[in-house]
Amino acid sequence: QGTIAMLISFSNSSDFYLKDYAAFALAELSRNSNMTACLASEGALEPVLALLDHKCGDICIERQLLPAIKTLSFLDRNKVPICASESLGVILSFVNDCSSSDDEVQLACCTLANLVEFECNMEVAVNAGCIPMLIGTLQSDSEVIQSECARALGNLASKIEFCNLLLENEVTQLLFSCHRKMTNESRRMTAMGLSNLSSNINSHPHL
């Protein structure tokens, strides 16, 4: 913990090199899910987000920081600040970029699904264009990616207005199609999405 406090202190330095190196170190530590709670309680998220903001547009840096953002996004306390930062645009760019690797797309979809567990983040993500991106990515050949997309779409479907948007984009049929091809583990996510869609009476003709 002393090391974390020291790195956070360095991340507030007026020396830009020291500041960036400290934030990179915190991001690398944040990849370890066993350390996430400790890092978040010490305030590690802010330097990582500040580094991403500072380096926004540098695809190499964004790739390095994406695993840390994903791991940090599992904590409830981090979901709102991540969604309100430049991170959301970076996350969506990996969801939607055909040059992204499957691992990067999976990380991005997982992060997005975590963020939209909070209702206050849903509108921010939808306004940023996440629904058509997720629908396109749901048609990936990767079952892991499909599962995370289904989780994100299922979370969005829990809110009536976004559920209607999903129905308009024929998400029900896509989820059914994925569900039929998936293993039991991945089917949990498509089942959750279909369950949330079915709570909307407008979905019944599609089921």
Side-chain angles (χ1 to χ4, degrees):
Q1 290 188 354
T3 302
I4 294 171
M6 179 183 69
L7 288 170
I8 290 172
S9 174
F10 287 163
S11 73
N12 293 315
S13 170
S14 58
D15 183 321
F16 287 111
Y17 289 104
L18 180 58
K19 187 173 187 171
D20 284 356
Y21 285 135
F24 267 121
L26 290 167
E28 289 300 304
L29 290 172
S30 297
R31 290 172 177 245
N32 184 342
S33 59
N34 294 323
M35 297 186 65
T36 308
C38 177
L39 286 159
S41 66
E42 293 281 335
L45 177 66
E46 290 78 6
V48 174
L49 293 182
L51 177 61
L52 188 60
D53 185 25
H54 177 219
K55 300 290 187 179
C56 189
D58 186 329
I59 188 64
C60 293
I61 302 297
E62 291 172 353
R63 284 190 171 118
Q64 287 180 270
L65 296 181
L66 183 60
I69 299 296
K70 185 270 289 187
T71 307
L72 289 165
S73 73
F74 280 101
L75 289 183
D76 285 352
R77 65 184 294 166
N78 292 339
K79 296 182 194 297
V80 172
I82 290 174
C83 198
S85 71
E86 293 289 338
S87 298
L88 180 61
V90 172
I91 293 160
L92 291 177
S93 72
F94 281 108
V95 172
N96 197 44
D97 189 347
C98 60
S99 68
S100 299
S101 69
D102 280 358
D103 284 345
E104 290 164 352
V105 176
Q106 187 269 332
L107 286 170
C109 290
C110 176
T111 307
L112 186 57
N114 290 342
L115 297 182
V116 296
E117 287 175 359
F118 275 22
E119 187 175 321
C120 61
N121 285 342
M122 291 180 184
E123 187 170 358
V124 179
V126 169
N127 287 342
C130 76
I131 287 180
M133 294 180 191
L134 286 168
I135 290 171
T137 307
L138 184 62
Q139 299 170 71
S140 164
D141 293 330
S142 165
E143 187 171 307
V144 178
I145 291 173
Q146 288 178 340
S147 179
E148 292 296 353
C149 275
R151 183 163 71 93
L153 291 166
N155 287 337
L156 290 169
S158 66
K159 192 168 173 61
I160 187 71
E161 60 261 44
F162 303 138
C163 186
N164 287 331
L165 272 176
L166 296 176
L167 292 173
E168 289 170 12
N169 284 278
E170 301 182 344
V171 166
T172 308
Q173 293 89 330
L174 288 172
L175 287 174
F176 269 126
S177 176
C178 291
H179 188 80
R180 293 187 190 100
K181 301 172 188 173
M182 285 178 166
T183 60
N184 287 338
E185 186 72 23
S186 298
R187 280 180 171 176
R188 294 175 185 173
M189 297 298 103
T190 51
M192 182 269 285
L194 290 166
S195 175
N196 285 346
L197 285 166
S198 70
S199 65
N200 183 340
I201 194 170
N202 294 329
S203 72
H204 294 179
H206 302 271
L207 298 173

